[in-house]
Amino acid sequence: MRTAIATCAQMPDGFQEDDLAAALQSTWVVWDDPEADWAAYDTVLVRSVWDADRRRDEFVAWAHRIAGSTRLLNPAAVLEWNTDKRYLAELPAAGLPTVPTVFLEPGRPLSDDVLAELGTPAELVVKPAQSAGARDTGRFALPAGYGDAAALAARIHEQGKAVMVQPYLAAVDEIGETALLYFGGAYSHAIRKGPILEVGAELVTDDGAADPDISAREPSRAERRLGDAAISWLITRFGGPLAYARVDLLTDGDGEPVVIELELTEPQLYLPYGDGATARLASAVRALSSAR
């Protein structure tokens, strides 16, 4: 089985997944390389394509195009769905609690009505519906930061992107974020990610800023239940298990876990934080590659 791992031009050798490349005996290939012969590979595994959110339409077209000549993991339909965070609007109806979110399409500014819809939070998070990591994301204390929050929303709209607005959940400052990793539909490991956003901080604009304060974490029973439920729903929605999925959770004001994102396109998988994680992911990729 010949496997390529798709990456971006800024990281032609991928990002900290040398062991995975060795386990799969794979080759790193830049996703938008015009000379790449994708049909020469049995499987293409999408990994560190960290510029795709800035060229989302081009990336989605690429995914559908090469899926016609090779097995793409994760599949093109998953990548198209997951690269626009408006997918979060589907989750509550599936019984998956999320951080309350209002999406502002271009032409709809941040307003008092939006804040009321979110329960008039003390702090606000504003970010693009198409973004990676914490890029172009701001945290604002209200009411002092209202003008800056509205200005960021307007700048995102100028890029032709929808804006997502959420209350900042204060528990993240003490508890952090829990990310659960699943390979081939099976739980692998989890990590704790410390808080990233600070009020008044400069926006992250680079491709692949390092996460602060990462450590292995044993998820609570409630977190595992929610993570497992999210994966079960994804399997049903897309007709089978995914090579990898990261379920990012925060704790709400009632102490219950809620989904902040389902990362299915280019997330860090924190393989060094789970014993045997690289082997489990490689096994999942091989199994899906050989499935008919």
Side-chain angles (χ1 to χ4, degrees):
M1 183 183 71
R2 294 198 64 198
T3 301
I5 304 181
T7 186
C8 60
Q10 295 89 337
M11 299 177 184
D13 298 317
F15 183 77
Q16 297 181 352
E17 291 187 350
D18 292 342
D19 290 347
L20 175 63
L24 291 171
Q25 298 182 323
S26 58
T27 302
W28 291 99
V29 183
V30 174
W31 74 269
D32 60 346
D33 181 353
E35 303 300 320
D37 180 10
W38 300 105
Y41 300 97
D42 302 294
T43 299
V44 175
L45 179 68
V46 175
R47 292 301 306 118
S48 44
V49 292
W50 286 357
D51 58 349
D53 66 299
R54 290 177 169 167
R55 302 156 58 194
R56 192 247 179 182
D57 291 347
E58 183 182 349
F59 174 72
V60 169
W62 167 84
H64 283 285
R65 184 173 65 252
I66 73 161
S69 59
T70 188
R71 185 180 295 274
L72 184 64
L73 300 176
N74 285 326
V78 174
L79 303 181
E80 180 174 6
W81 180 80
N82 189 238
T83 48
D84 189 319
K85 292 181 175 62
R86 283 174 282 198
Y87 71 79
L88 288 168
E90 291 186 36
L91 272 54
L96 302 173
T98 65
V99 178
T101 305
V102 174
F103 292 97
L104 306 179
E105 300 299 330
R108 183 188 178 192
L110 181 65
S111 66
D112 290 342
D113 290 343
V114 174
L115 301 185
E117 191 172 344
L118 293 172
T120 314
E123 294 188 10
L124 204 63
V125 175
V126 176
K127 58 185 174 181
Q130 298 173 10
S131 67
R135 188 183 300 151
D136 297 326
T137 298
R139 173 184 171 186
F140 305 93
L142 300 178
Y146 181 86
D148 290 337
L152 175 57
R155 289 200 299 273
I156 295 169
H157 281 160
E158 289 172 358
Q159 302 171 21
K161 295 182 178 182
V163 172
M164 54 190 298
V165 185
Q166 300 172 316
Y168 185 80
L169 300 184
V172 69
D173 290 334
E174 179 179 351
I175 300 173
E177 178 181 324
T178 299
L180 292 84
L181 288 304
Y182 294 79
F183 303 146
Y187 174 76
S188 171
H189 61 288
I191 60 99
R192 176 195 180 274
K193 185 189 301 184
I196 297 175
L197 301 178
E198 296 181 6
V199 173
E202 293 187 7
L203 298 182
V204 175
T205 58
D206 65 338
D207 296 311
D211 290 323
D213 191 19
I214 302 296
S215 58
R217 165 173 276 180
E218 183 67 28
S220 69
R221 291 182 180 179
E223 289 173 329
R224 270 299 304 271
R225 282 195 300 269
L226 181 52
D228 291 353
I231 295 302
S232 178
W233 180 76
L234 287 169
I235 290 172
T236 299
R237 194 192 188 289
F238 291 106
L242 305 180
Y244 55 81
R246 199 181 87 198
V247 182
D248 291 348
L249 306 179
L250 293 177
T251 300
D252 68 11
D254 297 322
E256 296 296 325
V258 292
V259 176
I260 186 170
E261 287 197 44
L262 300 177
E263 296 275 13
L264 315 176
T265 303
E266 30 66 310
Q268 290 193 51
L269 300 177
Y270 305 108
L271 299 176
Y273 293 89
D275 291 341
T278 297
R280 287 191 291 275
L281 176 55
S283 178
V285 171
R286 285 191 290 266
L288 291 170
S289 298
S290 61
R292 293 185 179 274

